[in-house]
Amino acid sequence: MTSNNLPWRLLKGALLLSAGWALMACSDSESGGSAQASLSPEEQRIAEGKRVARMCVGCHGPEGISRVASYPSIAGLPQDYLEEQLHAFRSGERDNPMMSSVARNLSDEAIDSLSHYFASLPGAGDE
């Protein structure tokens, strides 16, 4: 194999890894039990988004603020914008190999929860 194939092999590996994370996050059965019962519906949605967002940390940072210039910070962006972008990645309307592979495995509920969670966080300029 030539060195020209190395970037593609790395991207392919990253895509497979991210797809695995997405499947793991979407199928994770941790529900929080009685702690969830005392939360408002909005708080429950945000808590679920935080749980699902574990797959996003590698690119977008632990609190939605990226440390890598090529990955956007998404903390504090409007919820409807985030939801729209995730749907666009899932449908293929918006194309990015990494995001499309992750979003393809997201349910409508996961997209809703993720968009509420990241919108609830302070943005990079809000600190």
Side-chain angles (χ1 to χ4, degrees):
M1 191 159 289
T2 66
S3 61
N4 291 348
N5 290 331
L6 185 58
W8 171 245
R9 286 178 44 209
L10 291 174
L11 178 60
K12 186 177 175 184
L15 289 172
L16 291 172
L17 184 59
S18 66
W21 287 337
L23 289 172
M24 210 169 50
C26 290
S27 65
D28 190 357
S29 62
E30 291 179 33
S31 65
S34 61
Q36 292 279 359
S38 63
L39 299 175
S40 72
E42 180 70 10
E43 291 169 328
Q44 288 178 17
R45 182 181 292 141
I46 290 170
E48 177 63 12
K50 183 176 184 176
R51 185 188 66 77
V52 176
R54 291 181 295 192
M55 68 181 160
C56 308
V57 171
C59 296
H60 297 290
E63 297 294 321
I65 299 174
S66 176
R67 296 183 185 116
V68 179
S70 59
Y71 301 126
S73 292
I74 55 177
L77 293 177
Q79 181 274 325
D80 56 343
Y81 172 79
L82 292 166
E83 185 172 4
E84 179 181 314
Q85 298 313 304
L86 285 169
H87 280 289
F89 283 122
R90 186 176 71 180
S91 72
E93 177 184 335
R94 187 166 177 195
D95 185 39
N96 174 281
M98 183 68 74
M99 280 304 304
S100 297
S101 70
V102 171
R104 187 176 303 120
N105 296 300
L106 294 175
S107 66
D108 287 342
E109 294 78 17
I111 288 175
D112 182 67
S113 296
L114 283 169
S115 64
H116 279 83
Y117 170 65
F118 283 113
S120 76
L121 298 174
D126 298 340
E127 297 175 349

